Amino acid sequence: MLIKKRSGIEIPSSEITPESVYLSRRQFMRGAALSTAAVAAGGLLAACGAAEADGTENIATGSAAEESVVQTAMPGSVSATADELGDPLNSFEEITTYNNYYEFSTNKEAVAPLAKDFPTAPWRVEVGGLVNKPKTFGLEELLAFEQKERIYRLRCVEGWSMVIPWLGFPLAKLLNEVEPTSAAQFVRFETIEDKENMPGVNSPLFPWPYVEGLHLDEAMNDLAILSTGLYGKALLPQNGAPIRLVVPWKYGFKSIKSIVKIDLVDTMPQSLWMKAAPTEYGFFATVNPNVDHPRWSQATERRIGEFGRRETLMFNGYGEQVAHLYDDPNYDTTQGTQGQIR
Ligand SMILES: Nc1nc2c(c(=O)[nH]1)N[C@H]1C(S)=C(S)[C@@H](COP(=O)(O)O)O[C@H]1N2
Ligand SMILES: [Mo]
């Protein structure tokens, strides 16, 4: 994992466009750059589609050391060309044209063109439930959290992966601001359901809106971030603009896009994928090469841009930071995607 502090990310309030003013995608991008940087087939859903057919540590790896790696970079650029395992970043082109975003299309290449004009401003994220201080955050308030670069591997449950330089901030920072009560045990996230601008949500095959969840302990882990950008630029709609979750030690479907609602709850949320295909996509869904998906192996993956396949790493290579979360003997890691608290 890389955590790098970037300069120029703090946005002076004078630069912030009032939320009430509608901005076109292009205007928003310019503003951001200036200021910050299944198909049902015989009952089987092709979840996130179907399966597709070590390096030197070049960067500090301890968390204290990571926090102290401070570099500056101009918006639009990145501060490193590889992740902490030495794996090169995927290109901006790859990251923004090969996407899973079923609200637009189940065809990865069709998502970007369909999402091109998706309105992402104004935007609000309503945070509530079991909290002392419920709050609705406007985009400018979300961008006011210090945005840092995090270079993470993203491993899709379908068996492909990428290395992506996100910009964002720890989810814990937002959660601490609303003060979860002692009754809160899980966090439930919801994506916007915009029937007018998202052709896919008219599909009756999925129980919209897209919902995901984390256990509160997972949500408070420093690796879990809310991302507002990548490659030093504001997120494009196909990647979940204006704000999405990134949970790098779990299969990609947990990293829910274009969030409008976050609730602290006391029972395990039912995600869209748990409802759509309960035998295939469990709640925890930690990356585990030893546990096959019911329809394909999870032992290897295809890194986009590479030939051949590489081995999938336990917890997607983030075990040092997150394995302790699952020490609880009640957590059954042998279940992989289906991993669950018994
Ligand atoms: N709302 C929403 N979030 C979503 C999805 C989706 O279809 N809808 N797809 C998920 C899946 S399966 C993956 S692999 C990642 C892909 O993120 P990327 O397109 O930014 O690489 O987004 C996840 N988040
Ligand atoms: Mo995925």
Side-chain angles (χ1 to χ4, degrees), residues 175-196:
L175 296 178
N176 286 335
E177 198 166 314
V178 297
E179 295 181 9
T181 69
S182 56
Q185 285 192 56
F186 294 91
V187 188
R188 180 185 181 278
F189 304 84
E190 203 176 294
T191 295
I192 194 169
E193 184 178 356
D194 181 344
K195 293 199 164 79
E196 203 180 317

Side-chain angles (χ1 to χ4, degrees), residues 6-184:
R6 300 171 59 90
S7 69
I9 299 295
E10 297 78 11
I11 308 162
S13 53
S14 58
E15 297 242 20
I16 294 164
T17 309
E19 224 188 329
S20 54
V21 178
Y22 176 81
L23 292 176
S24 73
R25 180 71 219 155
R26 187 158 298 184
Q27 285 169 319
F28 172 67
M29 289 299 291
R30 205 184 300 130
L34 278 174
S35 54
T36 69
V39 182
L44 281 182
L45 282 158
C48 312
E52 298 184 278
D54 124 326
T56 314
E57 291 191 351
N58 58 345
I59 319 256
T61 48
S63 28
E66 280 157 7
E67 288 291 353
S68 70
V69 178
V70 175
Q71 290 188 10
T72 59
M74 291 302 290
S77 68
V78 286
S79 53
T81 56
D83 69 7
E84 83 284 9
L85 302 179
D87 294 356
L89 301 185
N90 278 92
S91 69
F92 184 77
E93 175 79 9
E94 287 165 338
I95 297 166
T96 58
T97 59
Y98 188 84
N99 301 100
N100 269 331
Y101 201 163
Y102 276 26
E103 285 86 336
F104 291 98
S105 175
T106 55
N107 171 348
K108 294 184 208 352
E109 278 88 14
V111 171
L114 284 169
K116 186 167 56 72
D117 298 318
F118 181 68
T120 57
W123 197 270
R124 278 175 203 81
V125 182
E126 196 186 327
V127 188
L130 300 171
V131 299
N132 290 323
K133 297 180 173 170
K135 178 173 175 176
T136 297
F137 292 83
L139 200 47
E140 72 284 1
E141 289 163 302
L142 297 166
L143 290 168
F145 286 98
E146 187 185 19
Q147 312 285 311
K148 289 186 185 177
E149 187 173 274
R150 299 268 186 125
I151 297 176
Y152 284 160
R153 295 171 291 285
L154 175 98
R155 169 55 159 88
C156 176
V157 75
E158 297 163 344
W160 56 266
S161 62
M162 293 201 205
V163 181
I164 303 179
W166 302 105
L167 272 179
F169 60 93
L171 171 62
K173 289 202 176 174
L174 179 135
L175 296 178
N176 286 335
E177 198 166 314
V178 297
E179 295 181 9
T181 69
S182 56

Side-chain angles (χ1 to χ4, degrees), residues 252-264:
F253 65 85
K254 300 294 294 183
S255 293
I256 181 174
K257 297 176 170 181
S258 306
I259 298 166
V260 288
K261 205 164 181 297
I262 300 178
D263 281 307
L264 282 289

